[in-house]
Amino acid sequence: MISSHHKEPVAQIALDIGSTVIKVAQLDNCGGLESQRFFPRDFETSIAHQVHDILQSMDIDPNRQTVLTCSSANGGLRVGIVCLSKLFSGAALRNQVLLAGANPVFVHDFEEARGETRRVDILLVGGGIDCIDAQPAAQRLARFDPSRYQFGVLVYCGNLYLVNDFVKRFPSAAVINNPLGDSLSSRVSSVFETVRRAYLEDLVFKEGISELPTVLSNCIRPTPEVVCRGFFRSVLNQSSFAIVGSCVALDIGGATTDLHYTVEIVSEDSPVRPATGISVARFVFTDLGIVASRDTLMLQMRNHAQLYELMSVVLGSRASEAYAALREGEYEPSPALLSYACLFLALDRFSKGRGPGLPIGQLDKIAQIILTGGAAQTLDETVVSRIVNLLLPPTAPAPLVQVDRRYEIWVAGITWTEDIQTEILT
């Protein structure tokens, strides 16, 4: 006999408010994708007004139906990290920042005297576990000089027994729980939650999300967090998108290119490694995007030694003329060419570990490459395979290439209700 308190799952709506496209998906009772529609962003009207019109045209009432909502800020929140050790506390802090949907710009230890000229929204200061005998850590923390950095908010997340000394020196600093707790294996997620909230506040400010109906704005989530969840769920074989073996997923967007990967791809001798105990990781290329980061992308394309080979794969017989014009700054590349360039440059830098906090990835260990995001939808799997071959050793097997044309990874992420902290944050 079925309990009277038992509730059957109900159909839901998923809404993704992107910088160029608004996506609405109809989900079935089990969270699977039934149908979806795409609406170009109308920059002549507010987000709230356009979303209202879209939902009304589809006969969707957010007050009567569950609407799972996510969005991405203009390139994401920028976070800097200063810590005791890049290898341990730095990796753990960076992992939580990434999972919250933000972009770690740098990870420094207290001994780095040069500081950093790039401005960040949040400067996290932490490291070490909560222990009373912390004199060595206290001495190193005393050498921290915030004047070497440019930041919006200073946040302390280190040893709780050193909080008072830190706040005395920097009264305006915010204090949150040490994510490492009293052991390096702690599952405390204070950084994840703090950065996530700051991301959403930044999102509301930048994109006018606050004008949305309260039922939507109060439960909105960062799109990068959603995609990260979806990738992890797919790796666990808990979604409709099949992932078999070692894998990378590239989410190519207007401002950034996000790399999600299974950690067995990381070289054993890589000087930088993901946080201990995790099975998937994420890295954000903040300078690779086809709209907001177009200028930095174009600069990297012009200076790359394999630019001609890349353009030959994409453009064929038109490559010679286009190559010369691009080098002279007189060529207007198509969005597709820019997307292929994001893919190529991201994988090339991953194979060399060229990026702050980016490990060295062994591309010949990759069994599957997935492309997702709006900028990836027009890409051709055969062309992608040929681009990947430019970076592989001659005898390496070619990985399976798939374009997530139905945004199944996004659906898997936005419908996942399990607590991400117990699954990924360690």
Side-chain angles (χ1 to χ4, degrees):
M1 183 176 179
I2 299 176
S3 169
S4 60
H5 295 288
H6 176 77
K7 292 184 178 181
E8 291 294 328
V10 296
Q12 297 175 315
I13 305 297
L15 171 67
D16 182 19
I17 304 170
S19 57
T20 57
V21 173
I22 296 175
K23 178 165 70 267
V24 182
Q26 299 268 4
L27 309 178
D28 61 26
N29 292 348
C30 298
L33 178 63
E34 279 192 346
S35 63
Q36 57 188 330
R37 293 179 62 183
F38 305 94
F39 303 86
R41 177 75 180 90
D42 182 2
F43 295 101
E44 299 299 319
T45 187
S46 69
I47 284 178
H49 189 270
Q50 185 176 8
V51 168
H52 173 270
D53 288 349
I54 289 172
L55 296 182
Q56 189 175 56
S57 70
M58 297 180 66
D59 197 24
I60 297 171
D61 183 353
N63 293 307
R64 297 176 179 273
Q65 296 171 266
T66 301
V67 181
L68 307 173
T69 311
C70 68
S71 187
S72 55
N74 301 329
L77 201 71
R78 296 165 60 85
V79 179
I81 299 169
V82 182
C83 56
L84 283 174
S85 166
K86 293 181 182 179
L87 185 61
F88 294 105
S89 54
L93 293 174
R94 189 174 187 281
N95 187 51
Q96 291 199 20
V97 169
L98 284 165
L99 291 171
N103 305 328
V105 177
F106 56 82
V107 179
H108 288 177
D109 60 41
F110 290 121
E111 272 61 49
E112 294 193 54
R114 61 184 175 86
E116 180 63 57
T117 58
R118 290 172 293 179
R119 190 183 189 282
V120 294
D121 301 295
I122 297 175
L123 184 64
L124 287 174
V125 180
I129 62 174
D130 292 335
C131 59
I132 298 177
D133 184 15
Q135 190 59 32
Q139 292 173 353
R140 297 176 66 186
L141 184 62
R143 293 195 288 270
F144 168 68
D145 182 3
S147 66
R148 298 170 182 164
Y149 299 91
Q150 299 183 52
F151 56 89
V153 179
L154 180 65
V155 177
Y156 178 77
C157 57
N159 188 327
L160 68 86
Y161 296 100
L162 303 178
V163 168
N164 290 337
D165 291 340
F166 192 86
V167 173
K168 284 180 182 178
R169 293 178 61 201
F170 314 111
S172 62
V175 177
I176 61 175
N177 291 333
N178 182 2
L180 299 178
D182 56 7
S183 70
L184 289 175
S185 61
S186 175
R187 294 174 181 263
V188 178
S189 60
S190 57
V191 169
F192 171 82
E193 292 296 342
T194 298
V195 173
R196 184 176 185 270
R197 286 196 301 270
Y199 181 106
L200 294 176
E201 290 172 4
D202 183 67
L203 178 67
V204 168
F205 175 75
K206 284 185 176 178
E207 296 194 359
I209 298 297
S210 60
E211 299 174 9
L212 289 170
T214 304
V215 69
L216 296 180
S217 61
N218 280 355
C219 62
I220 197 166
R221 292 155 59 186
T223 299
E225 175 201 337
V226 168
V227 175
C228 186
R229 284 177 180 246
F231 178 70
F232 184 64
R233 190 179 181 188
S234 299
V235 168
L236 294 178
N237 196 28
Q238 296 178 359
S239 79
S240 59
F241 198 96
I243 292 179
V244 180
S246 55
C247 175
V248 299
L250 286 152
D251 187 350
I252 303 171
T256 67
T257 293
D258 281 15
L259 171 72
H260 305 265
Y261 59 94
T262 52
V263 297
E264 66 265 26
I265 295 168
V266 175
S267 172
E268 292 184 1
D269 59 357
S270 175
V272 176
R273 301 191 65 81
T276 303
I278 65 171
S279 56
V280 300
R282 172 177 172 251
F283 184 86
V284 183
F285 295 97
T286 57
D287 55 351
L288 299 180
I290 68 170
V291 181
S293 301
R294 183 180 181 278
D295 291 344
T296 56
L297 171 63
M298 293 280 289
L299 179 63
Q300 293 182 68
M301 289 174 65
R302 291 191 189 100
N303 294 332
H304 200 281
Q306 290 182 278
L307 173 62
Y308 184 77
E309 288 88 339
L310 170 65
M311 297 185 72
S312 294
V313 169
V314 179
L315 301 178
S317 60
R318 297 176 289 132
S320 295
E321 182 178 352
Y323 171 77
L326 180 60
R327 291 297 299 269
E328 295 297 325
E330 300 174 352
Y331 181 72
E332 184 66 30
S334 67
L337 176 56
L338 293 175
S339 297
Y340 285 123
C342 287
L343 158 75
F344 175 78
L345 292 169
L347 290 179
D348 183 45
R349 286 162 62 176
F350 186 36
S351 69
K352 299 177 176 67
R354 290 181 179 172
L358 178 66
I360 298 174
Q362 295 178 285
L363 301 189
D364 56 343
K365 285 188 175 181
I366 299 175
Q368 189 173 4
I369 293 178
I370 300 167
L371 300 174
T372 188
Q377 298 306 306
T378 60
L379 303 188
D380 181 87
E381 286 89 338
T382 302
V383 175
V384 172
S385 295
R386 292 172 61 193
I387 290 174
V388 174
N389 285 338
L390 295 175
L391 303 170
L392 290 175
T395 59
L400 172 67
V401 174
Q402 292 175 278
V403 177
D404 180 19
R405 302 190 190 282
R406 301 183 72 235
Y407 294 93
E408 292 175 77
I409 291 177
W410 168 70
V411 171
I414 204 166
T415 57
W416 197 17
T417 57
E418 294 180 40
D419 189 352
I420 192 173
Q421 299 162 206
T422 62
E423 301 291 342
I424 307 179
L425 285 177
T426 56

